[in-house]
Amino acid sequence: MANYENITIEKGMYQTKGGLSGALEKLDPSENYAGTSLEGLDAFSRQLKRYNIKVNGSSSDCVEKFFQTSNSAALFPEYVSRAVAQGMERANILPYIVATVTDIEGMDYRSIASTPADDDKELKIVGEGAYIPQTSVKTRENLVKLHKRGRMLVASYEALRFQRLDLFTVTLNQIGAYIARSQLKDAIDVLINGDGNNNAAENVSTATSGAITYDDLVKLWANMAPYELNTVLAPTAEMQKILALPQMQDANAGLDFQGTGKMVTPLGASLLHAPEMQSGKIIGLDKNCALEMVQAGGVVTDYDKLIDRQLERAAITCTAGFSKIFTEAAKTLS
């Protein structure tokens, strides 16, 4: 079994593929701890245990606990990144609308696409020796636009050193939530306006401008074929209109919403609240094939500054972009 108490932690580990967590896992594989009291902890968590740093709960340590040794100080940026990522996960609805996530190491990425005609979507009977219909897959003409989203951590070490890590984690979680909402806004823009490859979403018109009826939702469902309408994104005003529809207010559905907070879904689709959207429009999509998320690494922190206690102007960023996969798998209703 690897001895996690004898690992030397250096700044350079943050520059390796996989960052500090990946470097620690190579030196101290988690699989070696199966059947022990440390099973279930990853390599980074074992280092927190090594230096007796408690980051959660009422008995959590103060920020200065990280800076008792040079080794433990090198853990601080990873703690910050994880706390921000945790906040992103809590506030993030992207997993419910993204079909696939592509991780890249550079900043340039060109996605692929297949744009079948109606005749191509039909799987015809192929006779012996006959021509087999083709599905063409090509690279997009334009690159995926990546946006760096983040926040600047502005605080002195003196101001934070005696603050409990549990409280500091809440602040970092909120930074993650801000980043997640910004990324959702980027995703919504691509779903509606396209990714620069002439693939804006087709709009399905409502019967009455400014109103949404159940017939409008049925019309949207019908226009999605052959794709499945399994997700509906709506801003606050349209969310209220949908939930106010008579078809959404049967007794059993009302009890479920009041008891669990789980909202009624139109036509079996997941109904997601997206305040970032422009009012007057909703998006219907097939989450299994509408959108690709492209990200250049995860949460990135200015590890040099954080390790050296230079918290002033330390950037916390995340770089990602979005690309449409099948254009017709997402449509708008307005």
Side-chain angles (χ1 to χ4, degrees):
M1 178 185 295
N3 188 353
Y4 67 96
E5 295 183 339
N6 294 324
I7 294 176
T8 300
I9 306 172
E10 301 173 344
K11 288 182 181 181
M13 291 180 172
Y14 283 96
Q15 298 177 322
T16 61
K17 186 176 182 179
L20 178 69
S21 290
L24 289 175
E25 280 292 339
K26 289 182 180 179
L27 295 172
D28 182 36
S30 295
E31 60 190 31
N32 291 341
Y33 294 88
T36 71
S37 59
L38 298 178
E39 183 177 11
L41 298 180
D42 65 1
F44 174 75
S45 299
R46 287 191 292 275
Q47 291 302 312
L48 293 181
K49 184 176 179 64
R50 170 186 178 183
Y51 294 102
N52 195 29
I53 301 174
K54 301 181 180 66
V55 298
N56 297 313
S58 58
S59 61
S60 63
D61 291 308
C62 295
V63 172
E64 69 171 355
K65 187 69 174 288
F66 272 105
F67 297 95
Q68 290 184 335
T69 69
S70 59
N71 265 355
S72 59
L75 297 173
F76 187 63
E78 180 67 12
Y79 151 74
V80 171
S81 295
R82 290 191 176 208
V84 172
Q86 185 182 59
M88 291 178 65
E89 291 173 3
R90 289 178 180 175
N92 201 2
I93 64 172
L94 285 175
Y96 301 99
I97 65 174
V98 170
T100 182
V101 178
T102 302
D103 291 298
I104 62 175
E105 295 185 10
M107 293 297 292
D108 293 335
Y109 176 76
R110 197 183 303 273
S111 187
I112 60 172
S114 174
T115 310
D118 291 338
D119 188 59
D120 297 328
K121 298 175 185 177
E122 183 181 351
L123 295 182
K124 301 176 182 179
I125 297 176
V126 179
E128 183 177 349
Y131 171 79
I132 299 177
Q134 299 178 348
T135 296
S136 297
V137 179
K138 301 178 181 179
T139 56
R140 293 285 193 188
E141 181 179 351
N142 295 318
L143 297 172
V144 175
K145 295 179 181 178
L146 301 182
H147 302 281
K148 180 180 285 189
R149 301 290 189 182
R151 289 269 170 163
M152 193 72 71
L153 184 61
V154 183
S156 67
Y157 172 69
E158 288 72 20
L160 291 178
R161 60 180 298 192
F162 296 121
Q163 295 298 321
R164 294 286 180 183
L165 287 167
D166 198 40
L167 175 60
F168 190 43
T169 299
V170 173
T171 303
L172 296 173
N173 285 169
Q174 195 58 33
I175 291 175
Y178 293 147
I179 295 175
R181 285 195 286 269
S182 296
Q183 289 183 341
L184 175 60
K185 191 173 181 179
D186 291 337
I188 289 171
D189 180 66
V190 169
L191 285 172
I192 296 175
N193 301 312
D195 56 17
N197 289 285
N198 194 29
N199 53 1
E202 176 187 344
N203 186 66
V204 178
S205 300
T206 57
T208 304
S209 179
I212 296 178
T213 66
Y214 193 73
D215 288 343
D216 292 327
L217 294 175
V218 173
K219 184 180 178 182
L220 176 62
W221 169 82
N223 275 268
M224 286 290 298
Y227 299 100
E228 177 187 2
L229 176 63
N230 49 38
T231 306
V232 173
L233 277 169
T236 303
E238 276 56 48
M239 194 79 161
Q240 293 172 327
K241 294 175 184 177
I242 293 174
L243 292 177
L245 293 174
Q247 292 84 354
M248 302 289 122
Q249 297 180 18
D250 65 87
N252 289 333
L255 287 173
D256 190 40
F257 179 55
Q258 294 168 19
T260 66
K262 184 179 180 181
M263 288 176 286
V264 186
T265 59
L267 305 173
S270 298
L271 183 59
L272 303 177
H273 183 207
E276 294 78 8
M277 281 184 63
Q278 179 182 355
S279 297
K281 191 185 295 287
I282 70 171
I283 301 174
L285 67 142
D286 187 338
K287 66 177 182 179
N288 298 313
C289 53
L291 193 66
E292 175 190 16
M293 181 177 181
V294 182
Q295 59 184 17
V299 177
V300 178
T301 61
D302 283 345
Y303 60 88
D304 271 325
K305 290 184 178 181
L306 296 182
I307 292 174
D308 295 335
R309 309 186 193 189
Q310 299 174 18
L311 275 65
E312 299 91 340
R313 314 297 294 176
I316 303 170
T317 61
C318 189
T319 303
F322 298 89
S323 173
K324 277 195 169 181
I325 303 175
F326 290 95
T327 302
E328 296 179 356
K331 297 188 178 183
T332 60
L333 177 69
S334 63

